């Protein structure tokens, strides 16, 4: 009988680990579905942007359960370490931001929730100068992004975390700009260059990086987007930097 019990425990542990492995295999797709910024409401009067990792937290907690169950069995305490990692990830992922752009009230109401912390605020439309894209550069060469609201006094991130889905962020950014009537101006052509061939410069994103003191990242962003050399990228960034330092309303 004891041998049968051990076999049964081993089978249950194997099934629990197999279930956890299946969850891990599906995790990248689940992350892409749940942990991504999205517009949940868009009318003439209101635009709501939500960034939430609550779905990821639920998946990590589901992965924690079979490992925790396995750790309660005799001689299976090794699974406790893995269970704790999943539980920690589930707790850290408990974060969400909601930004409501209200055309009637001409202001943005926002709220952010993290573990043991809730913050909120209001931004008048008159204080918003644009929507920027923050970029981080990983050691493996991959880039991640998040959107920010650019104001006259600084920037406010629309999310706590960064994501690698650049195209989706670009789409959301363009939709917010249209709602705010802050369409990005067409790129200016240099002397002897047609407007159609002028490089596409995301000036709002460059401004966002410069305001954080990340000039090197701003140059890298211009080089990548405009497909230009270091000297030209440095010239473009310096011009934007000079415009930012110029007095408001000055000539």
């Amino acid at each position: 009988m004891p041998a049968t019990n051990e076999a049964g425990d081993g089978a249950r542990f194997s099934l629990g680990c197999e279930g956890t492995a299946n969850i891990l295999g599906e995790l990248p797709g689940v992350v892409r579905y749940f942990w991504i910024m999205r517009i949940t409401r868009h009318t003439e009067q209101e635009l709501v942007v939500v960034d939430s990792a609550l779905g990821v937290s639920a998946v990590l907690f589901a992965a924690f359960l079979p490992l925790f169950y396995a750790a309660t069995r005799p001689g299976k305490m090794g699974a406790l370490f893995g269970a704790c990692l999943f539980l920690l990830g589930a707790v850290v992922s408990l974060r969400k931001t909601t930004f409501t752009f209200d055309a009637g009230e001409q202001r943005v109401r926002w709220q952010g929730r993290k573990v043991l912390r809730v913050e909120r605020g209001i931004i008048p439309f008159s204080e918003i100068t644009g929507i920027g894209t923050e970029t981080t550069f990983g050691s493996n060469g991959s880039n991640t992004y998040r959107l920010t609201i650019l104001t006259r006094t600084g920037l406010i991130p629309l999310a706590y975390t960064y994501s690698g889905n650049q195209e989706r962020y670009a789409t959301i950014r363009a939709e917010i700009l249209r709602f705010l009537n802050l369409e990005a101006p067409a790129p200016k052509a240099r002397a002897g260059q047609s407007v159609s061939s002028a490089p596409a410069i995301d000036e709002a994103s460059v401004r966002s990086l410069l305001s954080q003191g990340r000039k090197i990242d701003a140059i890298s962003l211009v080089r990548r987007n405009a497909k230009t050399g270091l000297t030209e990228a440095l010239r473009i960034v310096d011009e934007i930097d000079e415009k930012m330092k110029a007095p408001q309303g000055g000539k």
Side-chain angles (χ1 to χ4, degrees), residues 11-25:
R12 282 192 292 270
F13 176 73
S14 177
L15 288 174
C17 291
E18 182 179 351
T20 302
N22 290 336
I23 291 175
L24 288 175

Side-chain angles (χ1 to χ4, degrees), residues 32-89:
R32 285 193 296 268
Y33 180 81
F34 285 106
W35 196 347
I36 191 169
M37 179 176 288
R38 57 195 180 277
I39 294 176
T40 60
R41 178 178 172 82
H42 189 181
T43 66
E44 291 184 359
Q45 294 295 316
E46 191 175 70
L47 178 71
V48 181
V49 181
V50 175
D51 186 89
S52 172
L54 298 182
V56 176
S57 181
V59 172
L60 292 174
F61 185 75
F64 153 79
L65 291 176
L67 284 176
F68 180 74
Y69 173 77
T72 63
R73 312 306 298 173
K76 305 299 181 182
M77 289 299 294
L80 184 61
F81 176 74
C84 290
L85 287 179
F86 278 108
L87 182 60
L88 178 62

Side-chain angles (χ1 to χ4, degrees), residues 2-239:
T4 303
N5 288 338
E6 289 180 3
D9 290 342
R12 282 192 292 270
F13 176 73
S14 177
L15 288 174
C17 291
E18 182 179 351
T20 302
N22 290 336
I23 291 175
L24 288 175
E26 297 295 330
L27 189 57
V30 175
V31 169
R32 285 193 296 268
Y33 180 81
F34 285 106
W35 196 347
I36 191 169
M37 179 176 288
R38 57 195 180 277
I39 294 176
T40 60
R41 178 178 172 82
H42 189 181
T43 66
E44 291 184 359
Q45 294 295 316
E46 191 175 70
L47 178 71
V48 181
V49 181
V50 175
D51 186 89
S52 172
L54 298 182
V56 176
S57 181
V59 172
L60 292 174
F61 185 75
F64 153 79
L65 291 176
L67 284 176
F68 180 74
Y69 173 77
T72 63
R73 312 306 298 173
K76 305 299 181 182
M77 289 299 294
L80 184 61
F81 176 74
C84 290
L85 287 179
F86 278 108
L87 182 60
L88 178 62
V91 173
V92 172
S93 298
L94 286 172
R95 56 182 62 192
K96 179 180 181 181
T97 58
T98 303
F99 283 75
T100 302
F101 296 79
D102 193 319
E105 297 182 359
Q106 287 291 292
R107 63 180 184 175
V108 183
R109 301 186 305 276
W110 66 272
Q111 178 173 277
R113 293 180 178 273
K114 293 194 293 186
V115 179
L116 303 178
R117 182 179 179 184
V118 177
E119 51 189 358
R120 57 177 58 88
I122 295 176
I123 312 168
F125 281 7
S126 59
E127 292 295 316
I128 299 176
T129 59
I131 302 296
T133 305
E134 283 189 336
T135 306
T136 60
F137 302 90
S139 57
N140 60 353
S142 62
N143 301 328
T144 55
Y145 313 88
R146 71 175 177 181
L147 296 182
T148 61
I149 296 179
L150 307 178
T151 71
R152 302 184 190 281
T153 57
L155 59 86
I156 299 174
L158 274 80
Y160 288 121
T161 56
Y162 294 78
S163 169
N165 199 321
Q166 184 183 19
E167 293 183 1
R168 185 174 183 87
Y169 277 131
T171 300
I172 295 175
R173 176 176 177 268
E175 197 163 345
I176 296 174
L177 287 172
R178 284 194 296 269
F179 186 84
L180 295 171
N181 294 319
L182 291 174
E183 296 283 0
K188 296 181 180 179
R190 297 180 62 191
Q193 180 185 43
S194 65
V195 174
S196 60
S197 63
I201 306 300
D202 185 356
E203 184 170 332
S205 298
V206 174
R207 286 173 173 267
S208 175
L209 290 170
L210 288 175
S211 66
Q212 302 171 66
R214 296 164 58 188
K215 186 173 183 178
I216 294 177
D217 288 345
I219 294 171
S220 299
L221 180 66
V222 171
R223 291 190 67 184
R224 185 177 64 255
N225 290 349
K227 303 296 189 295
T228 188
L230 176 60
T231 302
E232 177 65 9
L234 179 59
R235 182 193 65 79
I236 293 172
V237 171
D238 282 341
E239 286 183 358

